[in-house]
């Protein structure tokens, strides 16, 4: 990936790093002003400033990195979280003095910087893109409302970096490398399978464009993400005796199950109506808005005839729509890189620039609000 060493991508990564450090300082300042004390949780690090970036699902990753899956006395529900991120946390922890939480923050921070640089390169190389569009895409990522999670002990930054790396490699037809990186992404989140589906469509488009009579041997690289997921399922089977242990954990821990789209919409709306406080209501409203915006971006990708990107995003958004639980959709949206690509490469003009500026301003305002909610331990999913 020698292109990553070109100055524009490096500058994009450096600017994103500066934004994350500023965001981290903002989180600490907000927490201090709000009088947030020590975190009372078994898997908190005990370091005040570090625990500002570890909450909710973070403790699952910390426990997995420390004890592995299903230690004695705990039969659920860590298995709902894929092993890639906690394995990396455990591997990096010697660099952070043995702190698994610190390792998680470090991994997210570095991965976010890599993701920003890769996003810049992907959009700059796009037929409709260029340096201006690339800067817009990175700015959209920088001001994403749930950007807090790109510095926290969560998987979004790592998955985004791996997904963008696989996608960029595939656009350059380095298919074995693309498949290997996509397999790593599949070890971080199950969405890696949707990424693999998008890559399969990209391979088919390239195959059709080249007019080849049959695919090359590198088509086998497309199966690597499925192998990664199958290996995790086999590991869970060895621990639980069930091949369906991952889905069972989702159901048992979060009451998440597959549903028709109208059932999913009804469940999301009912959850909003039943919200016990304004913070939870705001979070549930954001879930609905994020999913609807995801559908809008899918339409935009179809109009731009970006079939590989549409495949990935449609499956990713569709699995939320067809679920009884829409929680965390704005956080999931951080990994919807085709949205940054599609919006940043729209036809330039006065109307577009005005809408982009308004959207960016609104996103920045929401980022401040969501960051305050995260810093003060209110629910932002």
């Amino acid at each position: 990936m020698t292109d990553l060493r070109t100055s524009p991508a490096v500058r994009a990564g450096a600017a994103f790093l500066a934004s994350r450090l500023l965001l981290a300082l903002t989180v600490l300042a907000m927490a201090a002003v709000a009088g947030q004390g020590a975190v009372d949780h078994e898997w908190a690090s005990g370091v005040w400033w570090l625990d500002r970036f570890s909450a909710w699902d973070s403790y699952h990753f910390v426990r997995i990195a420390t004890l592995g899956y299903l230690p004695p006395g705990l039969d659920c529900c860590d298995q709902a979280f894929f092993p890639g991120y906690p394995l990396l946390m455990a591997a990096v922890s010697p660099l952070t003095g043995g702190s698994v939480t610190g390792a998680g923050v470090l991994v997210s921070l570095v991965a976010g910087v890599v993701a920003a640089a890769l996003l810049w390169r992907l959009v700059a190389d796009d037929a409709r893109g260029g340096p201006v569009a690339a800067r817009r895409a990175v700015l959209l990522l920088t001001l994403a409302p749930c950007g807090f999670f790109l510095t926290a002990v969560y998987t979004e930054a790592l998955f985004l970096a791996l997904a963008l790396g696989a996608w960029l490699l595939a656009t350059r037809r380095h298919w074995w490398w693309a498949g290997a990186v996509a397999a790593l992404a599949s070890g971080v989140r199950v969405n890696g399978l949707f990424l693999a589906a998008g890559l399969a469509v990209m391979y088919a488009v390239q195959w059709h464009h080249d007019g080849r009579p049959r695919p090359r041997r590198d088509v086998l690289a497309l199966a690597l993400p499925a192998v990664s997921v199958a290996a995790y399922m086999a590991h869970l089977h060895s621990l639980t005796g069930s091949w369906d242990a991952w889905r069972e954990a989702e159901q048992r821990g979060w009451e998440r199950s597959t549903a028709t789209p109208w059932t999913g919409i009804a469940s999301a709306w009912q959850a909003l109506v039943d919200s016990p406080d304004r913070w939870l209501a705001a979070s549930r409203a954001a879930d609905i808005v994020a999913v609807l915006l995801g559908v809008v971006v899918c339409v935009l990708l179809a109009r731009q005839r970006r079939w590989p990107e549409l495949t990935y995003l449609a499956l990713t958004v569709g699995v939320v729509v067809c679920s009884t639980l829409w929680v965390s959709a704005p956080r999931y949206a951080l990994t919807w890189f085709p949205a940054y690509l599609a919006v940043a490469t729209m036809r330039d003009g006065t109307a577009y620039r005005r809408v982009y500026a308004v959207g960016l301003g609104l996103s920045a305002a929401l980022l401040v609000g969501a960051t305050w909610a995260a810093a003060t331990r209110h629910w932002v999913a």
Side-chain angles (χ1 to χ4, degrees):
M1 297 293 292
T2 56
D3 285 343
L4 286 180
R5 294 193 285 269
T6 60
S7 58
V10 170
R11 286 199 298 269
F16 187 81
L17 174 61
S19 76
R20 294 310 92 182
L21 295 176
L22 178 60
L23 182 65
L25 291 174
T26 301
V27 168
L28 297 178
M30 286 177 170
V33 168
Q36 293 290 304
V39 176
D40 183 18
H41 193 282
E42 178 186 2
W43 292 102
S45 72
V47 179
W48 182 88
W49 71 268
L50 191 56
D51 282 331
R52 300 307 106 196
F53 304 96
S54 179
W56 305 302
D57 290 353
S58 301
Y59 301 127
H60 291 279
F61 298 121
V62 172
R63 183 165 52 224
I64 295 167
T66 305
L67 301 178
Y69 286 96
L70 304 181
L74 184 68
D75 65 347
C76 192
C77 295
D78 286 350
Q79 59 268 42
F81 299 89
F82 275 50
Y85 183 53
L87 281 174
L88 191 55
M89 289 167 62
V92 171
S93 62
L95 301 179
T96 57
S99 172
V100 175
T101 301
V105 173
L106 179 59
V107 168
S108 290
L109 189 62
V110 173
V113 172
V114 172
L118 289 171
L119 180 61
W120 194 98
R121 175 53 58 195
L122 180 68
V123 179
D125 288 353
D126 186 77
R128 298 184 181 91
V132 173
R135 285 194 294 271
R136 288 174 175 163
V138 173
L139 194 53
L140 286 170
L141 176 64
T142 302
L143 296 179
C146 283
F148 163 79
F149 292 101
L150 295 176
T151 61
V153 185
Y154 273 78
T155 60
E156 275 69 25
L158 179 59
F159 180 83
L160 180 61
L162 292 170
L164 283 164
W167 206 266
L168 189 58
L169 285 163
T171 62
R172 300 181 179 192
R173 300 174 181 247
H174 301 310
W175 280 103
W176 284 111
W177 283 109
V181 176
L184 294 176
S186 296
V188 174
R189 296 176 69 98
V190 71
N191 304 61
L193 293 178
F194 307 147
L195 175 70
L199 292 174
V201 174
M202 187 189 300
Y203 190 97
V205 170
Q206 292 180 3
W207 179 19
H208 175 74
H209 180 268
D210 293 347
R212 298 195 304 269
R214 60 182 64 85
R216 298 187 303 264
R217 189 178 304 173
D218 58 12
V219 71
L220 297 176
L222 297 172
L224 294 179
V227 172
S228 177
V229 173
Y232 179 51
M233 296 300 124
H235 177 63
L236 291 183
H237 178 266
S238 71
L239 296 175
T240 67
S242 172
W243 289 105
D244 204 22
W246 175 77
R247 188 199 60 78
E248 291 167 356
E250 288 270 306
Q251 172 67 42
R252 181 175 169 186
W254 293 267
E255 297 183 355
R256 187 195 303 268
S257 59
T258 303
T260 60
W262 47 90
T263 300
I265 293 170
S267 297
W269 179 256
Q270 192 62 48
L272 172 59
V273 172
D274 293 341
S275 299
D277 59 67
R278 60 190 177 91
W279 287 106
L280 194 54
S283 179
R284 289 172 174 173
D287 291 327
I288 295 173
V289 171
V291 172
L292 293 178
L293 287 176
V295 173
V296 170
V297 174
C298 285
V299 174
L300 176 59
L301 289 168
R303 292 190 63 180
Q304 293 180 347
R305 302 179 69 82
R306 295 184 182 274
W307 309 124
E309 292 84 355
L310 174 60
T311 300
Y312 165 64
L313 191 59
L315 290 171
T316 304
V317 175
V319 77
V320 179
V321 173
C322 297
S323 167
T324 55
L325 191 68
W326 285 23
V327 169
S328 303
R331 172 164 60 86
Y332 299 160
L334 292 169
T335 66
W336 298 352
F337 68 88
Y340 310 126
L341 174 66
V343 173
T345 58
M346 291 175 66
R347 183 176 297 177
D348 204 352
T350 302
Y352 168 77
R353 293 173 189 173
R354 288 175 179 171
V355 172
Y356 175 82
V358 170
L360 210 59
L362 179 60
S363 185
L366 292 172
L367 174 60
V368 173
T371 300
W372 171 265
T376 56
R377 283 300 197 269
H378 289 98
W379 182 255
V380 292

